[in-house]
Every structure is written in C-alpha cells, then in structure tokens.
Amino acid sequence: MSKVAGSEVAKRPIGVFDSGIGGLTVLAVLRRMFPHEDFIYVGDNANNPVGNRPKHEISQIAMNIGHFLAEVPVKMAVVACNTFSVVALDELQATFDYPVVGVAKGVRTAIDTSQTQSIAVMATKATIESHKHKEEALELDPQISMWEQACPDLAHLIEQGHLDDHVIHASVQEYLDPIIAHGADTIVLGCTHFPFLTDLMQHMTGGEKTFIDPSYETAQEVKDVLESHNLMNPQTTKGTLDLCFTKDKELAERMTSLLIPPEEFNLRLIKL
Ligand code: DGL
C-alpha cells in the first residue's frame, strides 16, 4: 500500500464481507453513512452457515475472502460477520496490508439502553462459545446480567429466505423463550443476519424488548479508520456497489433487494 500515493489508495473501494446476505445489514448502514464511497461486498453463501463450524474452518473461509479483497485491491475491509470477527479478526489484521475492522459488539449500546441491567445476546454457536460479548459486558459493567443465547439454525434459515413463515416463527420462539424467562429487556443481535428479523421479533415480544443492531457502532469505527488513515474517498459523485456471491445468484438478488434498491447494485458470482 505504501508504494501507491495516499490519494490513489483513498479512491479504492471498501471491502465488506460475510458468509452470505447477513453483512448486507451492515453494508446498508455504511452506504447511508458514506454515500461517496465505492463498496465491494463478498457473501460467501456457498459456505453458509459458518457459525456451527470448527474454528480452523471459519478462519480459513475468512482468510480466503481476505485474499480475494487484497487482489481487488480494497483500501480497507469490514468483517460484517460476528463469527468471522470473533474467530479470525486477529489473523486477518496480522496478514493483510489494508486496515480490517470487525463488526462491533453492540454491548455498550445495550447496557446504556437497558432499564433492568439485564441484557441478552443472540448469536451463532461459535460466537456464543467465544463469550466475547459477555466479557465485554462485564468489563463495562460488572453488575450487568447477560444471557448468552446460541441460535444455531437462524442464520441459515434467513439465508434461505425464511423471513416470515412458520419455520422461522418456531425457531425464533425457541430462542426467545429462555431470554424472556431470564428477564432481559434489551437484546443484542450478535449475528449480522438477525436484523432481517427485527420487525418479526419485535412483534413476537409484544414490543416489550429493545433489539440492538451493532451496525451503527461498526459504522462509527469505520469512520474513525477512514479519517485516521486519510482514506475518505475524495469523489463527490455517488459511490458504486459491486456485490459478489459464491452461489444462488437469484436468491441473493432477491434477498439483497429487500435492503438495497435493485437499480443500485450489480450482483455477480465469483469463485474464491
Ligand atoms: N452473519 C454471520 C454472523 O454474523 C453468521 C452466519 C453463519 O453462521 O454463517 O455471525
């Protein structure tokens, strides 16, 4: 990166990636916050779900995407996946020349929002087993009570387009029940797929719980990196969006259209 003039590097796209469509919930917030940035998004849906896999496989999948983004080349990458972030962020940061930001945990916002000092996190099995959300919560507030709810089926169901049918209702209910029994009033969505279900979960909890989408905290961290590394794109026109998936083009297009108007993206299949 050092051989290329800084102003040229700033014109490169920002890479954003996930094991599928989940990271689009982060991308949508980033595009609103940075309208002049160009983005390249990689959704490795051929490997979805990653959250039930052993750590070495999760790292390998994340690193492959990192190498793809290095070839583009990108000026920075956002790991828009909690599972990749808890398992592989250190390795990604140690390997690539470009800055890499992991998805934020949303724990501080949850603690500030909770009226009862009782919060929960819903995430993949690998993310819950890392206990990173709970560790951060206890560091910020040793009195906080945090319920950790693994949701092993949820990301893949969302990936397959189950957003409001009896299959997703039954699965969500199974994961919400222990949280409700624990008494948490604020729930961190610790998997980037889950904001696709915010309305459904709000409805299923009678509007009594607050769901925290960490994308907003993540966007703030991206802003800090762009500013501190002088990487803000100088262009004044609207940024472009290049979407790359590893299978199921039509399903990926249909799901993407729920968050991003179809005329604003190109979607193509890639091999990693
Ligand atoms: N969206 C990913 C996350 O935030 C996980 C999905 C998966 O299990 O592949 O953890």
Side-chain angles (χ1 to χ4, degrees):
M1 189 181 274
S2 53
K3 291 188 209 111
V4 183
S7 57
E8 288 307 306
V9 177
K11 290 178 188 163
R12 292 176 179 171
I14 299 174
V16 180
F17 69 94
D18 178 46
S19 66
I21 59 166
L24 294 172
T25 63
V26 180
L27 178 71
V29 173
L30 293 175
R31 289 183 78 235
R32 277 201 295 278
M33 188 140 160
F34 309 108
H36 304 303
E37 294 295 338
D38 296 334
F39 288 94
I40 176 164
Y41 180 87
V42 177
D44 189 2
N45 51 343
N47 279 313
N48 181 278
V50 294
N52 300 327
R53 292 172 186 261
K55 280 187 190 168
H56 70 275
E57 278 184 31
I58 297 170
S59 287
Q60 189 58 55
I61 295 166
M63 291 297 288
N64 281 347
I65 304 172
H67 284 290
F68 174 85
L69 293 176
E71 291 295 315
V72 170
V74 297
K75 63 180 172 184
M76 73 173 290
V78 182
V79 187
C81 169
N82 291 262
T83 308
F84 287 151
S85 297
V86 300
V87 175
L89 185 62
D90 291 348
E91 192 179 352
L92 289 160
Q93 287 176 332
T95 306
F96 298 107
D97 282 348
Y98 53 78
V100 184
V101 171
V103 73
K105 296 199 182 59
V107 169
R108 181 182 294 280
T109 308
I111 292 175
D112 291 348
T113 306
S114 175
Q115 306 286 315
T116 59
Q117 279 204 311
S118 177
I119 63 176
V121 55
M122 298 173 77
T124 65
K125 184 169 169 285
T127 300
I128 292 300
E129 283 173 359
S130 79
H131 301 295
K132 292 210 172 167
H133 289 79
K134 189 161 187 168
E135 276 169 19
E136 186 167 310
L138 290 173
E139 240 168 62
L140 290 167
D141 179 356
Q143 305 304 317
I144 202 81
S145 163
M146 177 176 248
W147 181 263
E148 299 169 290
Q149 183 62 47
C151 307
D153 297 334
L154 224 44
H156 193 58
L157 287 175
I158 295 165
E159 188 71 32
Q160 294 305 310
H162 295 276
L163 297 184
D164 192 12
D165 56 20
H166 69 279
V167 183
I168 198 81
H169 275 244
S171 185
V172 168
Q173 196 64 60
E174 180 190 339
Y175 301 136
L176 284 176
D177 282 345
I179 296 175
I180 293 166
H182 172 257
D185 67 343
T186 306
I187 302 168
V188 173
L189 301 176
C191 167
T192 54
H193 279 71
F194 297 174
F196 275 98
L197 301 181
T198 305
D199 289 350
L200 175 71
M201 293 200 284
Q202 234 144 22
H203 180 72
M204 288 174 71
T205 51
E208 284 175 9
K209 309 287 178 199
T210 305
F211 292 90
I212 306 294
D213 177 354
S215 299
Y216 302 93
E217 280 183 36
T218 309
Q220 194 54 49
E221 288 177 27
V222 172
K223 182 166 182 274
D224 293 346
V225 169
L226 289 174
E227 285 174 351
S228 62
H229 290 71
N230 277 325
L231 285 175
M232 285 285 186
N233 196 317
Q235 72 186 350
T236 50
T237 50
K238 196 169 160 59
T240 58
L241 176 56
D242 181 15
L243 292 175
C244 307
F245 284 82
T246 48
K247 74 166 191 186
D248 291 344
K249 186 163 186 273
E250 276 173 25
L251 179 61
E253 275 171 346
R254 184 153 53 81
M255 299 303 286
T256 303
S257 309
L258 298 174
L259 296 179
I260 300 170
E263 63 279 8
E264 292 186 20
F265 64 84
N266 287 314
L267 195 150
R268 61 192 166 106
L269 287 187
I270 55 163
K271 267 201 172 21
L272 289 172

